[in-house]
Amino acid sequence: MEEKFVCPHCNQELTPWEPHPETCWGDTLWVCENDDCSYFTRGRERIAKEEKVNFAYRYCYNPQSKKAVPIVTWCGGELSFLKGRV
Ligand SMILES: [Zn+2]
């Protein structure tokens, strides 16, 4: 399957991401890794203000269910797609 998906918020190509085996998500998800993505920056600002914690949502698409699912990324966490964090 050579499918390509694009983030509707910033038009960047989504990156395939395999969930950790211990999560219950069996499907490969497609994540927007763009740190300038409006979806990411807006959510991050809001959360930082309201919750005083350093995490944010990234846009993520599940082609199996054809649904967009926001992924929580802990800034400082272990997820490999957190490179480029501030
Ligand atoms: Zn995006």
Side-chain angles (χ1 to χ4, degrees):
M1 282 208 303
E2 282 290 311
E3 289 182 274
K4 284 268 159 67
F5 301 100
V6 169
C7 176
H9 300 276
C10 65
N11 290 321
Q12 178 166 298
E13 269 182 23
L14 301 180
T15 306
W17 177 65
E18 306 261 354
H20 282 253
E22 62 265 29
T23 70
C24 51
W25 304 346
D27 302 327
T28 299
L29 301 172
W30 293 74
V31 180
C32 175
E33 288 192 317
N34 184 1
D35 286 334
D36 295 320
C37 180
S38 61
Y39 189 91
F40 177 69
T41 54
R42 251 189 294 132
R44 186 177 197 177
E45 267 170 35
R46 192 166 54 81
I47 291 166
K49 245 182 248 160
E50 291 175 7
E51 310 287 345
K52 303 274 191 289
V53 289
N54 194 17
F55 74 93
Y57 296 101
R58 284 188 190 277
Y59 176 81
C60 177
Y61 180 70
N62 182 337
Q64 273 78 28
S65 63
K66 296 196 166 39
K67 271 189 193 151
V69 280
I71 286 198
V72 176
T73 64
W74 299 90
C75 303
E78 62 183 348
L79 300 179
S80 60
F81 59 77
L82 275 174
K83 59 183 186 275
R85 69 193 169 87
V86 185

